[in-house]
Amino acid sequence: MTTMQTNSTSKKAAIRSKALSSKPKLTEEKILHMSEMEYMNDVQLAFFKSRLQEIELALVQNANETTAHLQENDIIADPVDRATIEEEHALELRARDRESKLLRKVRAAIARIDEGDYGWCEDSGEPIGIERLLARPTATLSLEAQQRHEQRQKLFGH
């Protein structure tokens, strides 16, 4: 990466950080104490979008680090050392595969926020619930709908 790209990247990060810090911080506790009438209001949507964007940024950075790490061309003569490194690479690739699936879910959740569908169950249209979204911000089903879905999977195998 060139010095110019590094400076540009750090400037963007500083601007993003300053923008986030200038807003009053909404905490999980404050969201949990909001009334049901305030469910998925603009403040809550902004909170979850920010949280999802932080997750997205971390996942993309991990993917970039993995790519850079796997592109390193160290020549290792010892077959045992080479096998160990290959196994580490395989583990790293499996982890990144899981993260890429999560990244798709995170981006889909951000799109649902932009479309106004975030926080509502895809099956029933009922609220998913703040507690569930705090625990799993990519959730698309309410707890009850998720349980029904898992029960059907057990019964019918799909």
Side-chain angles (χ1 to χ4, degrees):
M1 188 178 277
T2 67
T3 306
M4 182 182 257
Q5 289 172 325
T6 304
N7 289 340
S8 175
T9 303
S10 61
K11 285 179 185 178
K12 288 178 185 176
I15 291 169
R16 188 179 313 121
S17 174
K18 187 176 181 180
L20 290 174
S21 64
S22 65
K23 298 177 188 173
K25 292 285 184 186
L26 187 61
T27 63
E28 288 184 12
E29 187 175 327
K30 288 179 183 177
I31 284 185
L32 287 169
H33 287 93
M34 289 182 164
S35 71
E36 287 183 23
M37 297 298 292
E38 296 177 287
Y39 185 73
M40 287 302 116
N41 63 20
D42 290 341
V43 174
Q44 290 178 350
L45 289 172
F47 172 85
F48 283 108
K49 187 170 188 174
S50 174
R51 179 169 278 191
L52 287 161
Q53 288 172 331
E54 288 171 10
I55 294 169
E56 178 185 32
L57 182 62
L59 291 171
V60 169
Q61 286 175 339
N62 282 347
N64 291 339
E65 289 171 11
T66 297
T67 301
H69 182 250
L70 293 176
Q71 288 176 347
E72 293 173 0
N73 289 327
D74 293 336
I75 298 173
I76 295 144
D78 183 31
V80 175
D81 288 343
R82 193 171 346 146
T84 301
I85 289 172
E86 287 176 8
E87 183 61 27
E88 288 172 0
H89 286 179
L91 288 170
E92 201 168 346
L93 286 172
R94 282 195 293 267
R96 293 308 153 250
D97 184 50
R98 284 192 301 275
E99 286 183 357
S100 72
K101 291 174 185 172
L102 177 59
L103 182 59
R104 283 192 294 273
K105 290 180 180 181
V106 166
R107 288 179 172 159
I110 292 170
R112 285 194 307 280
I113 289 174
D114 294 339
E115 294 163 2
D117 296 330
Y118 185 79
W120 303 96
C121 179
E122 288 181 345
D123 268 4
S124 66
E126 296 291 318
I128 291 173
I130 296 296
E131 297 87 2
R132 179 158 167 73
L133 290 170
L134 287 171
R136 187 179 180 96
T138 58
T140 59
L141 301 172
S142 67
L143 188 56
E144 296 80 16
Q146 182 67 36
Q147 289 170 338
R148 285 192 306 270
H149 177 74
E150 289 172 3
Q151 200 67 3
R152 280 193 300 267
Q153 280 184 319
K154 285 181 185 176
L155 290 174
F156 302 114
H158 43 54

